[in-house]
Amino acid sequence: MKKVKMFNGAELEIGEKIRFADLWQSDDGDEEELLDSGCCWVGDDEDGMPMIADFEILEKDEENLVNSLVKIMDIR
């Protein structure tokens, strides 16, 4: 499985289930738009290029979107 080191130092891998708040590690942006987009910038590779995690929403928390549960489908 492909893994990436996220901005917070934690490793993220394809197939992992994670709260959106733990995936999206920024105060910038619109959480609803980002959640609905199905992808999120999670870190940089060794060359400083952005690493994007594609995800699928498993359980959407309508009252607090950042508590939604997502599954990582790809890391690019």
Side-chain angles (χ1 to χ4, degrees), residues 2-49:
K2 186 173 185 177
K3 294 181 182 180
V4 65
K5 191 172 195 173
M6 296 193 307
F7 290 118
N8 68 1
E11 283 195 348
L12 180 70
E13 69 180 290
I14 295 173
E16 185 174 345
K17 295 176 185 172
I18 185 171
R19 283 184 339 114
F20 185 61
D22 297 326
L23 182 66
W24 177 44
Q25 301 169 29
S26 173
D27 292 331
D28 296 338
D30 179 316
E31 66 252 7
E32 184 171 13
E33 184 178 324
L34 287 167
L35 182 63
D36 290 341
S37 76
C39 64
C40 186
W41 179 26
V42 294
D44 295 329
D45 67 11
E46 301 84 29
D47 298 322
M49 297 301 295

